[in-house]
Amino acid sequence: MIQSLLRSMELLEVLKEKNRNFSIAELAEAMELPPSTVHRILQTFCEKKYVIRDDRSHTYRLGPALIPLGKAAARGIRLQDAAHSILTQLAKQTKEDAYLVIPVGNKGLVEEFGYEMYMHCGAIRKVLLAWQTPTFIDEYFRTIIIHDQAFPHVRPDDLREELKKIRQDGYAITRGEYVNDAVGIGAPVFNSEGELAGS
């Protein structure tokens, strides 16, 4: 391994961890390196705008050149691939099923099995509905709920209140909605832009 490269990456990790400005002394202490070594690494990063120096406080923080790198890296990660190990571990710990559901039109698709159900059916799908735009939700009520097209049948006012509560709580819990005695728990999954990607 290249020692200088490892040190450079460790410095970025320290700057990332606390999300604040650091002095050279603080960075040197955190990395257990001489201040002169830290200063040389910082100079290189500052030239490329990976790190920015605040001239007033003589402190350093992560720079804007890292943003396109992060976005490019994020584009290469499929949500399904990233979620797989987490869901496997969750299922193992709880001894319950754990799924990733992604929004497809008015339905939530269980990615692993490929089957779809309307978004108001069960906790994991209600989360998808709760985080849609008001326009989407209004259209969903007009085309699905009010016309009684979907199972389970629900009262529109009750569902609107439930969706509001899900947004406030940050998760959904349902009991026996379409499988007797089954309890469902759903939570939203957001992408790097803060947009709903699944549940």
Side-chain angles (χ1 to χ4, degrees):
M1 284 192 246
I2 303 171
Q3 191 67 28
S4 60
L5 189 55
L6 280 175
R7 287 174 175 172
S8 299
M9 290 188 293
E10 286 169 11
L11 184 129
L12 291 176
E13 288 292 327
V14 172
L15 289 168
K16 177 192 81 174
E17 189 63 33
K18 301 293 184 183
N19 194 26
R20 66 175 179 86
N21 288 23
F22 285 83
S23 67
I24 289 178
E26 288 173 321
L27 291 168
E29 183 180 346
M31 297 177 66
E32 298 179 359
L33 289 174
S36 58
T37 302
V38 172
H39 184 255
R40 280 196 305 274
I41 297 169
L42 286 169
Q43 279 184 309
T44 303
F45 278 144
C46 284
E47 281 180 32
K48 294 293 185 182
K49 301 287 189 254
Y50 289 175
V51 173
I52 297 293
R53 181 178 190 266
D54 185 322
D55 291 328
R56 287 175 299 174
S57 62
H58 304 290
T59 57
Y60 297 82
R61 62 180 168 81
L62 294 179
L66 293 169
I67 295 170
L69 286 178
K71 286 185 175 180
R75 282 195 300 271
I77 297 173
R78 288 179 66 238
L79 176 61
Q80 294 88 333
D81 296 337
H84 181 74
S85 63
I86 296 167
L87 291 170
T88 301
Q89 183 181 355
L90 180 63
K92 187 176 178 182
Q93 287 178 340
T94 61
K95 296 181 174 50
E96 299 290 347
D97 296 330
Y99 303 109
L100 173 69
V101 174
I102 55 175
V104 178
N106 286 327
K107 296 181 178 179
L109 169 71
V110 179
E111 199 275 332
E112 186 178 353
F113 301 111
Y115 62 79
E116 301 174 344
M117 293 183 77
Y118 282 109
M119 282 190 189
H120 72 284
C121 187
I124 199 165
R125 291 172 195 83
K126 282 184 177 175
V127 164
L128 296 178
L129 185 56
W131 263 269
Q132 297 299 321
T133 64
T135 304
F136 181 101
I137 292 172
D138 287 344
E139 182 64 19
Y140 186 91
F141 271 72
R142 270 195 302 275
T143 57
I144 308 299
I145 302 301
I146 293 173
H147 294 293
D148 251 358
Q149 289 185 24
F151 172 84
H153 301 304
V154 293
R155 293 183 60 235
D157 291 345
D158 292 345
L159 181 58
R160 281 197 185 273
E161 282 304 308
E162 187 177 5
L163 295 177
K164 201 180 300 181
K165 185 176 187 324
I166 290 168
R167 282 290 291 246
Q168 288 169 352
D169 295 344
Y171 62 90
I173 299 176
T174 55
R175 293 171 179 83
E177 279 202 354
Y178 62 96
V179 177
N180 288 339
D181 301 323
V183 175
I185 302 172
V189 177
F190 300 100
N191 64 21
S192 60
E193 305 295 323
E195 301 160 339
L196 182 75
S199 60

